[in-house]
Amino acid sequence: MAPVVEECTALDLDAAAAAVTAAALRPGPVGTVGLELEAHLVDLDAPADRVPWERVTAAVAGLPPLPGGSRVTLEPGGQVELSGPPLPGAGAAVAALRADRAVLAAALAGDRLGLAPLGTDPLRAPARVSPAPRYRAMERHFAAAGCGDAGAAMMTATASLQVNLDAGPREGWGARVSLAHRIGPVLVALSACSPLAGGRATGWRSARQRVWGALDQRRCGPLLGGPDPAGEWADYALAAPVMLVRDPGSGAAEPVRARVPFADWVTGAAPLGGRRPTAADLDYHLSTLFPPVRPRGYLEIRYLDAAPEPWWPALAAVTTALLDDARAADAAADATAPVAGAWTRAARDGLADPALRAAAGACVAAALPAVPAALRPEAEALAALAESGRCPGDLLLPDPVAALLTATLPPPGPEDLP
């Protein structure tokens, strides 16, 4: 049983570590899948302009109920995120998110707005449009930490596909979390869909992953992949720097401009906000940590670029198969051994890198038998793309305006799959 910590009571270090460890992973069978897809919001009549916040919020406020049960949230640059509910398998999760995307896209189209699921905004420079205190404080923290440009780009000009999977049985946690990291570079290369950013070619297949690599790795770097991922997550969280301190009364957020580990705030070695942290502060701190695989009771797989149809459904299906199907998982562990840890190579070169291309081909081939029949055409299209040494971003038009607008178009039918 998880230790009970009063939300308003100051923490001690042991209680904080115990709380994070207990909540990191929930034991149980695998099979449930949740998907989250971000997309850049585009004014179809003025694509070079960011959509003002008032127009963003008004468009979302008027949405009808979504048939698949997704939540709609907004990111600081005006990106729109659909977060689907946990469902039994990738097939059901993709079908629900597709249905909700169709309703959302139709509603936005009435206001001449479109959704572009791409890893980076290919046209517009990073710019925050949300006035939320959290994002203003995050911006200032990143600037003080020496990664202001990367922080602004991450918050306002990137978009991802997130695959959420069960933690699985307790005795398999170490191997499962380790595999989720080990296949990461291959899936970064396979999903890469951000060669353009801010109106120019970047020279990287995944400029989104490049941005994440430029951030403070004590907040955004991977876990080490040890045998006790829950305990390792607690160590990671307590060593990570505090980003901001919220005022419990007003809700205001004050950025922390020095690198203060959360543990130092707990012990009083570095007092912040004139008080010690509470359980609510710890929960909020965890929400400001962004490793490529984040334990939240389940596993958040956070390293995939957002991509248009048919690629995001294929990536969701392949990622799920590689982690949830035992035979595919074993094959993926072997295939990815030569490129484990090659995050930068994957972001820069994608599947033009021979070793990553070979590993990606082996992984997709291993995943295909476990992919639901309804998603087999999309997964096979992804396999063919990988075999040719290309990733989704290689198919984007080179002109940033055209790339952004083309990504907002309705998805192709099955007969149009490459």
Side-chain angles (χ1 to χ4, degrees):
M1 177 180 291
V4 177
V5 181
E6 294 294 333
E7 189 162 295
C8 297
T9 303
L11 294 168
D12 63 48
L13 205 54
D14 289 341
V20 177
T21 301
L25 299 169
R26 291 190 299 268
V30 302
T32 303
V33 180
L35 300 177
E36 301 178 31
L37 182 65
E38 296 173 327
H40 306 283
L41 190 62
V42 184
D43 183 333
L44 298 175
D45 299 317
D49 299 334
R50 284 200 176 271
V51 182
W53 187 247
E54 295 76 13
R55 188 178 174 195
V56 175
T57 54
V60 171
L63 287 174
L66 298 182
S70 296
R71 292 183 300 109
V72 179
T73 53
L74 300 173
E75 297 298 317
Q79 308 99 309
V80 179
E81 180 177 49
L82 275 173
S83 300
L87 293 170
V94 167
L97 200 61
R98 272 178 162 160
D100 291 345
R101 277 201 73 223
V103 172
L104 174 61
L108 293 175
D111 194 28
R112 296 295 295 156
L113 295 172
L115 294 169
L118 300 169
T120 52
D121 189 319
L123 177 61
R124 299 166 296 188
R128 177 173 58 85
V129 296
S130 169
R134 169 185 170 99
Y135 298 131
R136 187 167 56 246
M138 286 176 68
E139 203 171 58
R140 294 171 181 172
H141 171 86
F142 283 130
C147 52
D149 289 346
M154 179 272 285
M155 291 193 295
T156 69
T158 65
S160 67
L161 167 67
Q162 185 170 297
V163 180
N164 301 323
L165 302 174
D166 295 308
R170 186 184 301 272
E171 62 273 15
W173 284 352
R176 185 164 172 79
V177 174
S178 177
L179 178 62
H181 286 85
R182 187 163 176 168
I183 64 177
V186 166
L187 290 176
V188 165
L190 192 64
S191 71
C193 195
S194 48
L196 306 170
R200 64 181 182 86
T202 65
W204 291 63
R205 295 310 203 280
S206 176
R208 184 201 59 83
Q209 180 62 30
R210 180 190 187 188
V211 164
W212 283 98
L215 293 169
D216 185 349
Q217 293 302 286
R218 291 175 297 179
R219 178 183 309 284
C220 302
L223 277 70
L224 297 178
D228 177 20
E232 186 179 341
W233 174 234
D235 292 342
Y236 182 109
L238 294 176
V242 182
M243 176 178 278
L244 54 91
V245 176
R246 293 190 302 169
D247 184 292
S250 68
E254 185 65 27
V256 178
R257 301 177 189 271
R259 295 189 175 185
V260 178
F262 191 86
D264 286 0
W265 189 17
V266 172
T267 62
L272 299 173
R275 60 181 178 83
R276 297 285 184 90
T278 64
D281 292 312
L282 176 59
D283 288 343
Y284 199 77
H285 173 65
L286 294 176
S287 77
T288 70
L289 306 181
F290 311 112
V293 179
R294 183 164 68 173
R296 294 191 62 188
Y298 51 91
L299 297 182
E300 284 184 347
I301 309 300
R302 302 174 53 86
Y303 43 64
L304 301 165
D305 273 13
E309 294 265 358
W311 311 121
W312 73 262
L315 290 162
V318 167
T319 301
T320 300
L322 292 178
L323 285 161
D324 281 4
D325 181 82
R327 188 170 297 177
D330 288 343
D334 291 339
T336 56
V339 292
W343 299 94
T344 301
R345 280 168 53 197
R348 184 185 63 235
D349 302 329
L351 297 182
D353 180 288
L356 285 162
R357 178 178 174 180
C363 284
V364 177
L368 278 175
V371 168
L375 294 175
R376 191 70 56 80
E378 290 87 342
E380 289 174 345
L382 184 64
L385 189 68
E387 186 178 357
S388 72
R390 295 179 296 165
C391 50
D394 292 324
L395 305 183
L396 295 179
L397 296 172
D399 175 73
V401 176
L404 187 64
L405 289 176
T406 301
T408 69
L409 295 176
E415 68 280 1
D416 300 316
L417 291 179

